[in-house]
Amino acid sequence: MIDAGAVALAAVAGLVGGGMNALAGGGTFATMPALLGLGTPANVANATSNLALMPGAWASAWAFRDELRPVGGVSVRVLAAITFAGGLLGSVLLVATPGRAFDVIVPWLLLIAFLAIAFGRRAGDWLRDRVTIGTSTLMIVQAVLGTYGGYFGGGVGIMTTATYGLLAGESVRSMFAPRTLMLAVANFAAALVFMATGLVRWELCLPMLVGGLLGGWLGASLGKALPPSVVRGWTLLVTAATTIVFFVRAYG
C-alpha cells in the first residue's frame, strides 16, 4: 500500500506539471523528480508521467481548440497523424531501452531543446533569408518530435515551440494551440503502448493524472492572458532547469 503523503506529492506534481505543459512545455520537470523520489525506476517513472499528464494535455488542447490552424502550410490533422505514428514508434523504443542508457541519453536531448528555444528565433530569421523551407521538411521534423514525445516527452513542448518558430516563422503565443495538441497526441499514442506493456505505476499515476488534468486547464486559461515575452522567459527558465536537473542526475 502507498501512504497518503506519496499520493499528495503525486497529485501536486501532476498539478504543476499540467500547468507547465500548458504554458511552455516541460511538465516532466515536475512529475519525473517526484516519481523518482518515490522510488520509481526511471523508465517506469517516464511511462507513468506520460500517462498522468495526458488528460491535462487534452484539457489544454480543448481550451485552445478555437485557435487551431495550419502550421507552415500543413494542416493540423496531418501533423497530428504524423505525431501519433511517431509517438507509437518512440514508446516502443523506450520499452526496448535499458534503464541506464535512458538516463544518459535524456539530458542531451534536453540540451538540444534549450539551445533551440534560446537561439531558434534568430536562427530561423537567418535561415529563411537564405533558403526556402518546404512543408515536407516540417512534416519530417514533426515525425521526429512525435517519436521523441513517445520515447521521453520531457521538453517536447519546448522543442515543438522551437521547431515551429524556426521552420514556420510562428510566434511563441501563436504556437500554443497546435503545440499543445501535438503533445496530447504523442502522449496518447505512447500511453497505449505503456499500458499494454505494464510499464505504469498506477497507484501514483491516478492521483498525478487528476492533478495534471486540473493543472492543464488552469495553465491554458492563464496562458491566454500572458504576453509573449513572459511566455518566452518562462520557456527558457523551464528548459534550463530541466536540463540541469537531468544532467546532474545522470552524471553528478
Side-chain angles (χ1 to χ4, degrees), residues 74 134-141:
V74 182
T135 56
S136 58
T137 301
L138 179 60
M139 289 189 287
I140 291 170
V141 176

Side-chain angles (χ1 to χ4, degrees), residues 10-245:
V12 171
L15 177 69
V16 176
M20 290 170 66
N21 274 345
L23 285 173
T28 300
F29 174 63
T31 54
M32 279 284 286
L35 291 167
L36 293 170
L38 292 171
T40 308
N43 58 342
V44 177
N46 180 62
T48 302
S49 171
N50 180 291
L51 180 57
L53 291 176
M54 181 184 65
W58 280 107
S60 299
W62 178 257
F64 286 124
R65 66 190 182 282
D66 57 338
E67 299 181 21
L68 286 171
R69 58 182 178 77
V71 177
V74 182
S75 74
V76 170
R77 289 185 178 181
V78 171
L79 289 175
I82 293 170
T83 302
F84 183 81
L88 289 176
L89 174 60
S91 56
V92 170
L93 291 174
L94 174 67
V95 172
T97 300
R100 178 54 187 164
F102 176 78
D103 289 340
V104 172
I105 292 170
V106 164
W108 296 101
L109 296 175
L110 292 176
L111 179 60
I112 292 171
F114 173 74
L115 294 174
I117 196 61
F119 304 107
R121 184 180 300 174
R122 279 173 285 179
D125 292 341
W126 181 90
L127 193 59
R128 281 190 297 275
D129 287 342
R130 291 160 175 79
V131 298
T132 300
I133 302 173
T135 56
S136 58
T137 301
L138 179 60
M139 289 189 287
I140 291 170
V141 176
Q142 187 66 53
V144 174
L145 289 170
T147 302
Y148 173 79
Y151 183 79
F152 174 56
V156 68
I158 298 165
M159 289 182 174
T160 303
T161 297
T163 297
Y164 291 173
L166 179 64
L167 299 185
E170 301 284 350
S171 69
V172 173
R173 179 61 185 84
S174 69
M175 299 176 215
F176 271 16
R179 184 210 65 205
T180 305
L181 178 60
M182 295 312 126
L183 175 66
V185 169
N187 279 5
F188 176 67
L192 295 177
V193 174
F194 295 151
M195 288 188 292
T197 55
L199 210 61
V200 178
R201 191 176 176 185
W202 287 103
E203 69 273 20
L204 294 177
C205 180
L206 294 178
M208 188 172 281
L209 185 152
V210 173
L213 186 61
L214 178 59
W217 180 79
L218 292 174
S221 300
L222 179 61
K224 288 186 174 183
L226 290 177
S229 59
V230 173
V231 174
R232 176 173 170 76
W234 174 253
T235 301
L236 286 170
L237 178 62
V238 170
T239 314
T242 304
T243 303
I244 291 169
V245 166

